[in-house]
Amino acid sequence: MTDEKIKRINFLAKKAKESGLTEDEKKEQLALRDEYIRAMRASLKSQLDNAYIKNPDGSVTPLKK
């Protein structure tokens, strides 16, 4: 997700609170939020896939199912 898209999400949220959004802006806001959530989930999944647990005996186990 690019900085421009995050700025646009924030702009639309602020505008919604202040004066309301048009139907097109509401659709854009929903699409941007959906894209943001998908990106955050992918990032979290990647972090968890690369996480390891160090056991008391010194061995390292990946944090995967």
Side-chain angles (χ1 to χ4, degrees), residues 1 33-45:
M1 174 132 270
R33 284 182 175 174
D34 184 52
E35 182 180 345
Y36 178 78
I37 289 170
R38 281 186 277 120
M40 293 303 296
R41 285 182 180 161
S43 175
L44 178 60
K45 183 180 181 324

Side-chain angles (χ1 to χ4, degrees), residues 1-22:
M1 174 132 270
T2 63
D3 285 339
E4 292 91 26
K5 288 184 179 182
I6 293 172
K7 286 179 184 177
R8 183 67 179 163
I9 290 171
N10 291 333
F11 170 78
L12 290 172
K14 183 177 179 183
K15 184 177 178 190
K17 289 179 184 178
E18 292 175 351
S19 62
L21 298 174
T22 65

Side-chain angles (χ1 to χ4, degrees), residues 39-52:
M40 293 303 296
R41 285 182 180 161
S43 175
L44 178 60
K45 183 180 181 324
S46 175
Q47 288 177 9
L48 291 175
D49 286 345
N50 292 310
Y52 295 91

